[in-house]
Amino acid sequence: MSKEQKQEKESLNLFYSTQTVIENALNKLGYTEEVFELLKEPVRLLTVRIPVRMDDGTVKVFTGYRSQHNDAVGPTKGGVRFHPEVSEDEVKALSIWMSLKCGIANLPYGGGKGGIVCDPRKMSFGELERLSRGYVRAISQIVGPTKDIPAPDVYTNSQIMAWMMDEYSRLREFDSPGFITGKPLVLGGSHGRETATARGVTICIEEAVKKKGIDLQGARVVIQGFGNAGSFLAKFMHDAGAKVIGISDVYGGLHDPNGLDIDYLLDRRDSFGTVSQLFKNTITNEELLELDCDILVPAAISNQITAENADRIQASIVVEAANGPTTLEATKILSEKGILLVPDILASAGGVTVSYFEWVQNNQGYYWPEEEVAEKLKKVMVDSFDSIYQTAQSHKVDMRLAAYMVGIRKVAEASRFRGWV
């Protein structure tokens, strides 16, 4: 195996590549080796086994995880994903990313993440409810409004959050809306939470086109992924006057150089964000990423832009709405080509920011109108973008390393002041 292949293989492991960038960021900031030793792994990782009575009467046992990266800044915060490929390493890496996102957005949280190895597409409503409640019972000792606050993630939604909140409230024998975010509005959810990630990505795109001197009106946008973030983003871009020339889902992509009819596609997509099967002339996800466009948004899964295809990316701006869609080697290649890469931990920070707003509203028992949420989100995202862009310019590093530097500084400082390192 050549050196390049070995590097690429290591980079495809999210946990390992996350540790690598954190080490670089801490070195750039002048922190000691002890700080890296503390921050390279989560302080707490719980693995649970959840027995669930299935509809056919059998009992199936599921494996779940909850990772808490660091609680020096405050309680940990992060989503719960239901997916067949959830793994311990993935949950650990994502909890570290949540620490970075909270640091970037200057929120009083550390990072957390949870997941259950399951395929919700093959489960009934009743089975999903029993699994959701079983997960909360299993992790209840280490979560709560002042300890660790879960939220929706891949294949989980406001209904699942509602079941989890209800189960936690039963266990604690008091109503605990602040235990979890991403809830339905009637149970203490926040306005703007559902669209928050896509709205945050949109604000990053608006800031990035200014830096590149591109007019968003008429700009050609390609979006990989048509789930929660991808579909709302397509709508926001369409409404802003951009031309969405390509979208894709798990089955394939659609391309029209004159712009796709986004409202029609949104109307036809199913609850898992798939729409491409309705069309004959589809393209592959690989072809979609290499389309000639101004703005490329990977909003699907990790490791999509690699050392193998980075040379063929034709966009001027790449904005990562998914977690880890670009490997470290590909990041270098894109930077050398002069492509402005807006990294995932900045671009997708809108979700956790509005989750924070929801938690604040729950704690106060006072709820804000949608305009106020949107205005507060815009300020946080623009300030975060500027701070990372300035750090990249002054330290002469790419936006990814700059984002890690800004994100890790808060956790490192809080740990230092507490006397942990």
Side-chain angles (χ1 to χ4, degrees), residues 262-275:
I262 296 302
D263 290 329
Y264 174 75
L265 295 177
L266 289 172
D267 192 43
R268 302 298 300 274
R269 73 189 270 275
D270 68 15
S271 60
F272 292 107
T274 60
V275 71

Side-chain angles (χ1 to χ4, degrees), residues 190-345:
S190 173
H191 282 292
R193 175 63 187 87
E194 203 187 358
T195 59
T197 304
R199 184 110 24 219
V201 176
T202 303
I203 296 165
C204 284
I205 290 173
E206 289 166 356
E207 294 305 299
V209 292
K210 286 180 201 164
K211 304 287 185 218
K212 276 288 198 180
I214 295 171
D215 189 355
L216 191 53
Q217 193 86 26
R220 297 162 306 151
V221 183
V222 169
I223 301 169
Q224 182 199 29
F226 211 51
N228 178 300
S231 59
F232 282 124
L233 179 65
K235 177 78 178 134
F236 293 154
M237 288 290 99
H238 183 66
D239 293 350
K243 272 201 305 198
V244 181
I245 62 165
I247 63 110
S248 71
D249 55 36
V250 69
Y251 300 106
L254 304 173
H255 173 227
D256 181 346
N258 300 316
L260 294 160
D261 184 343
I262 296 302
D263 290 329
Y264 174 75
L265 295 177
L266 289 172
D267 192 43
R268 302 298 300 274
R269 73 189 270 275
D270 68 15
S271 60
F272 292 107
T274 60
V275 71
S276 66
Q277 297 125 298
L278 304 174
F279 298 87
K280 283 199 173 66
N281 299 333
T282 57
I283 58 173
T284 65
N285 263 297
E286 291 72 28
E287 290 169 328
L288 181 99
L289 292 170
E290 294 167 18
L291 288 173
D292 184 8
C293 63
D294 300 304
I295 302 155
L296 171 62
V297 185
I301 51 172
S302 55
N303 300 326
Q304 296 303 293
I305 303 176
T306 63
E308 203 274 317
N309 67 351
D311 266 341
R312 299 193 294 276
I313 301 296
Q314 301 189 61
S316 304
I317 299 169
V318 174
V319 181
E320 299 182 328
N323 286 322
T326 315
T327 65
L328 297 187
E329 287 68 39
T331 301
K332 284 191 206 112
I333 296 168
L334 297 182
S335 294
E336 282 159 12
K337 287 179 68 174
I339 294 171
L340 175 61
L341 175 76
V342 181
D344 46 13
I345 54 173

Side-chain angles (χ1 to χ4, degrees), residues 5 9 21 67 113 129 191 227 259 303 339 347 368 382 398:
Q5 285 172 308
K9 186 166 181 282
V21 189
S67 171
K113 204 65 164 192
E129 178 176 356
H191 282 292
N303 300 326
I339 294 171
W368 311 335
V382 171
D398 60 53

Side-chain angles (χ1 to χ4, degrees), residues 180-195:
I180 204 162
T181 58
K183 302 179 294 293
L185 280 175
V186 291
L187 291 178
S190 173
H191 282 292
R193 175 63 187 87
E194 203 187 358
T195 59

Side-chain angles (χ1 to χ4, degrees), residues 65-81:
Y65 302 100
R66 188 71 191 171
S67 171
Q68 298 172 343
H69 173 236
N70 187 290
D71 50 11
V73 173
T76 50
K77 176 95 192 75
V80 180
R81 51 180 51 192

